[in-house]
Amino acid sequence: MAWLIALFSGLVFGVGLIAGGMTDPGKVKGFLDVAGAWDPSLALVMAGAIAVGLVAFAQARRQKQAWAGGSIALPASTLIDARLIAGGVLFGIGWGWAGFCPGPAWVAMASGSSAALCFVGAMLAGMLLHDNVWARRAG
């Protein structure tokens, strides 16, 4: 049953990203170009995602188990530190430069987009680099 819930959730998420234009780097870059030909339409997509997220997190706080039966582990920390800020800055640079964030990049890659394939490869390399650097600092 858990795999069915995961499959359905992934399909709904992917279709929502496509319908909202989040898999089109040109649309994303148009949204980020506030000094030029700004396209505010993705703000509605983001507002909808925030609304759904608020409802989902409120529901998750009241539940002890996920619908698929696993445990729910919500973040406990609200600390805003240098690592969080640096991560946000790197995310924003990548989003603005490539026009992708991780979820839409995976969806666009599945459609055969070479730009998305390059983005996902660079993202995975960055994750490995981060994990190796952080492991050395912690160890």
Side-chain angles (χ1 to χ4, degrees):
M1 184 63 168
W3 70 269
L4 193 58
I5 292 172
L7 176 66
F8 179 74
S9 299
L11 286 173
V12 168
F13 183 63
V15 169
L17 291 173
I18 292 168
M22 294 293 292
T23 58
D24 177 7
K27 185 137 181 100
V28 171
K29 288 179 179 182
F31 171 72
L32 295 173
D33 187 10
V34 294
W38 186 53
D39 178 2
S41 61
L42 286 184
L44 297 173
V45 174
M46 290 180 191
I50 290 169
V52 169
L54 287 172
V55 171
F57 273 101
Q59 178 65 30
R61 281 189 191 92
R62 292 191 294 267
Q63 288 184 212
K64 294 185 184 204
Q65 280 191 321
W67 292 340
S71 64
I72 296 177
L74 296 174
S77 176
T78 58
L79 178 67
I80 298 174
D81 60 3
R83 282 185 62 208
L84 180 64
I85 293 169
V89 167
L90 284 173
F91 178 90
I93 290 170
W95 194 40
W97 188 16
F100 288 115
C101 59
W106 283 101
V107 175
M109 188 180 73
S111 73
S113 167
S114 59
L117 178 63
C118 288
F119 178 86
V120 169
M123 177 183 70
L124 293 174
M127 292 165 121
L128 288 171
L129 178 64
H130 167 270
D131 288 350
N132 286 327
V133 168
W134 195 253
R136 284 192 190 127
R137 284 186 173 181

